Amino acid sequence: AAMAHGHGPGRCRCCGEEAAERGAAWGLYLRIDRQRLQCLNERREGSGATVFRPWEERGDRSKFVESDDDEELLFNIPFTGSVKLKGVIVVGEDDGTHPAEMRLFRNIPHMSFDDTAKEPEQTFSLSRDPLGELEYPTKIARFSNVYHLSMHFPKNFGAETTKIFYIGLKGEWTEAHRHEVTICNYEASANPADHKLEQITPQTHFIS
């Protein structure tokens, strides 16, 4: 391991521990229900899912998602339990394809681009971050009980398409409580009545 890190064995253990601790904090990608993960306007089908991976692999340039018709991308990310989202990292190229804005929505399953007209829970102006050094902290009170996260990237720094290599999600995960298990079962079989209810709730919240 010392060789891989490029410094002596004396320092390697602490460096390894720190990296492991930091990596574990960004472990929410393990809690994504990948079967139901959606990325709208992705050029290559299934490529959106590849950007959610271990923190240590944030520099991997072989996996990325690129937008298709215009610069917009929309991720629908269902979790396997309840998540308290604390921070986000977004890695792109150091050029015009890097997303310039990120809008986060909570608990609105199956969002479409039409739905992005709603008021998001939080909006971020992004800086170009090719190395994954910038963390965007969320307003934790708004993201303390998230079972579904939507991430909308409406624009970039001037290119025709948007490219994202890595999205890191930091936070805590708890198993669904017993009374939520029934909801999960409905979800698996996509009960239309269930979705209507889920979508009405956030809307009334925004109107009031």
Side-chain angles (χ1 to χ4, degrees):
M3 293 293 287
H5 283 286
H7 52 62
R11 281 174 59 205
C12 191
R13 197 171 53 114
C14 79
C15 158
E17 279 170 16
E18 266 174 44
E21 214 171 276
R22 177 117 201 243
W26 294 93
L28 282 185
Y29 72 95
L30 292 166
R31 307 302 185 182
I32 294 172
D33 181 349
R34 288 184 180 265
Q35 298 298 312
R36 298 191 297 128
L37 173 71
Q38 280 182 318
C39 179
L40 305 188
N41 198 35
E42 58 183 7
R43 177 166 290 185
R44 202 175 76 251
E45 193 178 341
S47 56
T50 66
V51 304
F52 299 96
R53 55 180 188 268
W55 181 79
E56 298 79 13
E57 294 175 23
R58 66 198 181 284
D60 182 354
R61 285 294 197 252
S62 66
K63 297 175 185 148
F64 62 89
V65 60
E66 186 172 4
S67 63
D68 193 11
D69 294 332
D70 54 27
E71 72 274 32
E72 282 190 90
L73 281 169
L74 175 62
F75 292 87
N76 281 315
I77 307 157
F79 294 106
T80 56
S82 175
V83 163
K84 182 187 284 185
L85 184 67
K86 297 179 174 180
V88 180
I89 289 176
V90 180
V91 176
E93 290 280 25
D94 196 6
D95 62 16
T97 64
H98 194 296
E101 189 179 298
M102 173 174 68
R103 306 166 76 234
L104 300 183
F105 299 84
R106 64 183 276 270
N107 300 345
I108 311 176
H110 313 292
M111 268 191 84
S112 67
F113 283 111
D114 290 343
D115 296 324
T116 60
K118 298 178 202 281
E119 189 69 30
E121 296 290 339
Q122 197 169 353
T123 301
F124 300 85
S125 288
L126 303 182
S127 299
R128 292 179 194 176
D129 185 18
L131 300 176
E133 296 170 322
L134 302 175
E135 176 184 334
Y136 299 95
T138 61
K139 295 172 181 167
I140 295 176
R142 295 190 181 184
F143 294 96
S144 60
N145 183 21
V146 181
Y147 58 84
H148 187 284
L149 177 70
S150 297
M151 309 180 80
H152 179 219
F153 297 93
K155 58 187 180 187
N156 58 25
F157 285 96
E160 285 185 16
T161 60
T162 297
K163 232 178 184 182
I164 296 174
F165 290 93
Y166 169 83
I167 295 177
L169 302 174
K170 183 170 89 169
E172 297 166 15
W173 175 85
T174 45
E175 277 188 75
H177 302 303
R178 286 193 183 277
H179 67 273
E180 285 173 353
V181 172
T182 47
I183 299 172
C184 296
N185 292 343
Y186 286 137
E187 271 297 300
S189 57
N191 181 340
D194 218 38
H195 292 299
K196 270 186 208 129
L197 284 172
E198 282 167 1
Q199 283 172 337
I200 289 164
T201 320
Q203 282 170 346
T204 49
H205 160 70
F206 288 130
I207 290 163
S208 60

